[in-house]
Amino acid sequence: MASYCSCRLIPEATGRRFNVLDYGADGNGKIDATPAFQKAWGHFCRASEEMPTLEVPAGKTFLLKSVSFSGPCMSKNPHVLIEGTIVAPNSFDSWDDDDYEKWIGFTASIGLIVDGGGRFDGRGEAWWKACNDNDSACSKRRQALHFNKCNGLRLSNLHHVNSQKGHISINACDDVEVSNLQILAPDESPNTDGIDISESNHVNIHDSFIGTGDDCIAINGFSTSINVTSVQCGPGHGISIGSLGKDGAYETVEEVHVKSCAFKGTQNGVRIKTWESGSGYVRKITFEDITFVNSENPIIIDQQYNPNGNRGSSGIKISDVTYRNVQGSSADEVAIALNCAGRAACTNIVMDNVKITSSNPGKQIRASCNNAMGTAISASPTVPCLSS
C-alpha cells in the first residue's frame, strides 16, 4: 500500500507577531472585524522573516463577513494562530457581498500554517431552515473555510462548528497535512460536509473527530495520494470518494488509503459513488482496520449514483479496491452493497477479513452485488459475486 509521509517540520515562531486587536478589531463579536483582519493580513503577508504570526487572541470573539486572504506571502512559513473565536453573521441581511462560495478563503498562501486551538462558528442554523423550507436563501450558503492553491498547508488543532454548508474545502493543493480537528454540526443540517478535497495531491488527514449532516470526508475529482488515518466519523454520511462524473464529467481519483477509522451511527460507512453519465476512473483504493457501530450501508459502491432517482449506466471504471480488517455492526439488512454498472463494472474488488454483523439482535444481514468482480478471502456476510 502506498503511503504519504509529511516530512516538513513546523518551525517555532520566531518572527514578528501581528495581533488583529492592534489593527482595530475589538473582539466583542458584534462589530465587523473584517477590515481589521484584512489590514493585519496585508502587513503580516509582507513580513519576510522566517515565521511571522498573525494572532487572533484567546478570550475574544471576532465577527467576520466574507473575506479572502491572498498570497503568496514573503515568508516561507506564514503562521495564522487562532486562539480566539471567529463567528459568521447569523442573518441573511448581514452579508453585503455576492460571494456565495466561501466565508473565509486562503489563496496561493504557500507553506501556510493555521492552528492555535481556536474556534470557527458558521452559525448556519438560519440557512439550514431555509433549505428545509425550500427558501431561496438556501442557494446562498457558503463553505466556511476554503483553501485554494495553498501548497504545503498545515491545518491543525482547531474547532469548526455549524457551517452554513461545508466546513473545510481543500482545492488544488499539494502536500497538505490536516490533524487534530474537531468538526461538528447536527446530523439533520444539510450539506455540512466536514472536509471536501478536490484536485489535490498528497493530502494527509489524521487524528480528528468529524460529526456533521453530510460526508465526514469527501474526496472529489482529480485527487491522488490521499491518506485518512485515525478519524472518528459520526453522525454523517461516512467517508466518500465522489460523487464523480456529474453532468457527464470526466473525473479521476486514485491512491486513496483510509486506515484505522471508526464510524458510529452514520448513514454510510466507506463509500464510492459515481454518476451514471460520467467517465473516468477510481483505482488503487484501500479501506483498512475499519470499525462500524450501528452504521447504515457500511460498505457501498454505487456506480449509478443519482439522488434524483434516475438510473443509467456509469462509464467511470472502478478497480483495485481492497477492504482489509473491516468489522462492526450494520443498522441495515444489506451490509455490503456493490452496485456496479454493466458498461464499466467494478474489477479486482478484494474483501480480506471482513466481518460485519447486525446491530439488531437476532437479525440477519446480507451482501448484494451486481457486475462486481474480485476475490473474497474472508467475508461475512458472503459476497456472492466475488470468488473465494
Side-chain angles (χ1 to χ4, degrees):
M1 180 181 75
S3 62
Y4 170 69
C5 175
S6 169
C7 299
R8 179 170 69 87
L9 297 177
I10 297 177
E12 292 186 10
T14 56
R16 283 176 291 167
R17 302 175 82 87
F18 299 83
N19 192 316
V20 295
L21 294 175
D22 297 332
Y23 292 85
D26 59 13
N28 66 5
K30 299 178 181 179
I31 299 174
D32 182 13
T34 309
F37 272 64
Q38 290 175 312
K39 186 175 181 181
W41 174 269
H43 287 213
F44 156 78
C45 197
R46 289 193 294 271
S48 59
E49 58 262 31
E50 171 61 22
M51 190 176 179
T53 298
L54 177 65
E55 285 187 288
V56 180
K60 301 290 185 179
T61 299
F62 300 92
L63 175 66
L64 287 188
K65 297 183 179 181
S66 287
V67 60
S68 293
F69 300 111
S70 297
C73 294
M74 294 293 291
S75 173
K76 294 180 180 179
N77 298 117
H79 180 208
V80 178
L81 181 68
I82 299 172
E83 297 179 313
T85 298
I86 297 175
V87 299
N90 60 357
S91 64
F92 305 135
D93 56 6
S94 297
W95 299 81
D96 53 8
D97 69 292
D98 295 325
D99 184 358
Y100 301 133
E101 294 298 318
K102 61 185 179 298
W103 171 30
I104 299 171
F106 292 90
T107 300
S109 299
I110 309 304
L112 179 67
I113 301 164
V114 185
D115 60 16
R119 179 182 178 96
F120 292 90
D121 187 346
R123 301 203 288 186
E125 293 86 348
W127 281 265
W128 307 336
K129 185 178 185 302
C131 293
N132 292 331
D133 295 343
N134 293 317
D135 189 296
S136 61
C138 179
S139 65
K140 298 178 180 179
R141 293 176 297 158
R142 296 160 171 84
Q143 293 269 1
L145 192 58
H146 180 71
F147 297 95
N148 180 55
K149 299 180 181 178
C150 292
N151 294 346
L153 172 67
R154 300 294 181 262
L155 178 67
S156 65
N157 191 27
L158 292 165
H159 304 269
H160 302 253
V161 300
N162 297 335
S163 177
Q164 297 171 20
K165 201 175 179 182
H167 286 79
I168 298 171
S169 62
I170 298 169
N171 177 72
C173 298
D174 183 64
D175 180 22
V176 174
E177 182 164 356
V178 177
S179 63
N180 296 294
L181 299 186
Q182 183 183 70
I183 304 174
L184 300 173
D187 59 359
E188 68 273 11
S189 57
N191 309 119
T192 52
D193 291 16
I195 302 174
D196 287 323
I197 303 166
S198 59
E199 301 179 28
S200 295
N201 306 312
H202 303 111
V203 178
N204 186 18
I205 301 172
H206 61 91
D207 298 294
S208 295
F209 181 93
I210 306 173
T212 69
D214 210 302
D215 292 330
C216 292
I217 298 172
I219 301 164
N220 297 300
F222 305 107
S223 296
T224 63
S225 299
I226 311 296
N227 281 291
V228 180
T229 308
S230 298
V231 169
Q232 297 182 59
C233 171
H237 295 185
I239 295 177
S240 297
I241 296 175
S243 62
L244 304 175
K246 186 177 182 180
D247 297 327
Y250 174 87
E251 294 186 289
T252 67
V253 170
E254 63 183 321
E255 294 286 6
V256 174
H257 308 290
V258 179
K259 184 177 171 119
S260 301
C261 292
F263 301 78
K264 184 175 182 180
T266 52
Q267 289 189 25
N268 300 285
V270 290
R271 174 169 62 161
I272 301 173
K273 49 181 178 176
T274 64
W275 286 76
E276 69 276 8
S277 59
S279 61
Y281 59 80
V282 176
R283 64 192 183 195
K284 299 179 182 178
I285 313 295
T286 60
F287 300 103
E288 185 173 7
D289 300 332
I290 304 297
T291 302
F292 303 111
V293 177
N294 194 35
S295 292
E296 302 173 30
N297 304 310
I299 294 175
I300 180 169
I301 295 177
D302 189 355
Q303 214 174 11
Q304 296 174 303
Y305 175 77
N306 191 333
N308 300 319
N310 300 320
R311 294 289 186 179
S313 180
S314 177
I316 295 183
K317 298 179 180 180
I318 298 175
S319 64
D320 307 316
V321 182
T322 297
Y323 304 87
R324 180 180 295 114
N325 300 332
V326 177
Q327 62 181 344
S329 59
S330 171
D332 283 339
E333 177 187 353
V334 179
I336 301 172
L338 307 180
N339 179 30
C340 302
R343 183 154 60 100
C346 304
T347 59
N348 195 26
I349 309 301
V350 177
M351 300 278 172
D352 182 1
N353 191 26
V354 174
K355 186 177 182 180
I356 303 175
T357 60
S358 176
S359 56
N360 301 306
K363 296 289 186 179
Q364 297 297 311
I365 62 169
R366 62 185 178 90
S368 69
C369 57
N370 186 38
N371 292 313
M373 294 169 279
T375 304
I377 299 170
S378 174
S380 177
T382 301
V383 186
C385 59
L386 303 182
S387 61
S388 57

